[in-house]
Amino acid sequence: SNDFEITVYAGGEVLGGTELSFSEVFDQGKPVVLNFWAGLCPPCRAEMPGFQAVYDQYQGDFILLGLDVGPFMNLGSNRDAMDLLRELNITYPTARAESRGPVVQYGVLAMPTTVFFTPDQKVFRAWQGLLDQQRMSSLVQQLISASA
């Protein structure tokens, strides 16, 4: 299986637990947006407030999961990641990857990378690099429509 384990920083009540496999995030039948980020990644930092705004707007309709892969990309420790979440007041669900598996599986070469999934766990869209708030909002709307 291509599943992978995550340990949740925040948002466990949304995700359905604090230690879980990525596939379990789909148990609620919602589309999922998986954002690969790291604590010492300037473009990740730059896009996160916009992601927060989009999440606040559509949070009932999709699940956003920010996945810290810093240690596997040489872009900071899990502690750096948690410090960044606190600094930016990020409240959407975030977790750390327990292995580099998802980085390999989704071909994460650029950071950040964001993968959009329909509720049946199929990849709808993958975006390499920074997503500004307007484009993120547009892609989330497209994903929600495609998932209806």
Side-chain angles (χ1 to χ4, degrees):
S1 134
N2 280 335
D3 216 0
F4 56 88
E5 299 306 307
I6 64 174
T7 299
V8 175
Y9 292 147
E13 67 288 345
V14 174
L15 297 173
T18 52
E19 311 246 336
L20 63 166
S21 55
F22 180 58
S23 63
E24 291 178 88
V25 176
F26 292 88
D27 287 351
Q28 298 168 58
K30 293 181 181 180
V32 173
V33 177
L34 179 65
N35 172 245
F36 291 88
W37 65 283
L40 301 183
C41 163
C44 301
R45 168 192 290 265
E47 76 181 357
M48 286 165 85
F51 276 40
Q52 181 70 55
V54 173
Y55 178 72
D56 289 343
Q57 188 175 357
Y58 296 105
Q59 59 182 314
D61 298 321
F62 82 111
I63 294 173
L64 174 59
L65 172 59
L67 188 69
D68 169 27
V69 292
F72 310 113
M73 307 298 284
N74 296 314
L75 287 170
S77 65
N78 296 139
R79 171 68 52 202
D80 293 321
M82 287 187 278
D83 288 345
L84 181 58
L85 294 174
R86 206 165 20 246
E87 182 187 333
L88 297 178
N89 293 312
I90 297 302
T91 63
Y92 58 77
T94 49
R96 70 172 187 257
E98 287 302 325
S99 75
R100 65 176 305 112
V103 170
V104 176
Q105 184 180 335
Y106 293 104
V108 179
L109 303 172
M111 286 285 288
T113 287
T114 306
V115 186
F116 297 77
F117 297 87
T118 50
D120 58 1
Q121 303 188 36
K122 292 197 166 56
V123 174
F124 174 74
R125 181 82 195 253
W127 187 279
Q128 301 240 346
L130 187 150
L131 266 173
D132 65 41
Q133 183 176 337
Q134 191 175 357
R135 189 167 277 129
M136 173 64 169
S137 180
S138 169
L139 289 171
V140 166
Q141 288 173 47
Q142 291 171 38
L143 176 65
I144 291 167
S145 297
S147 302

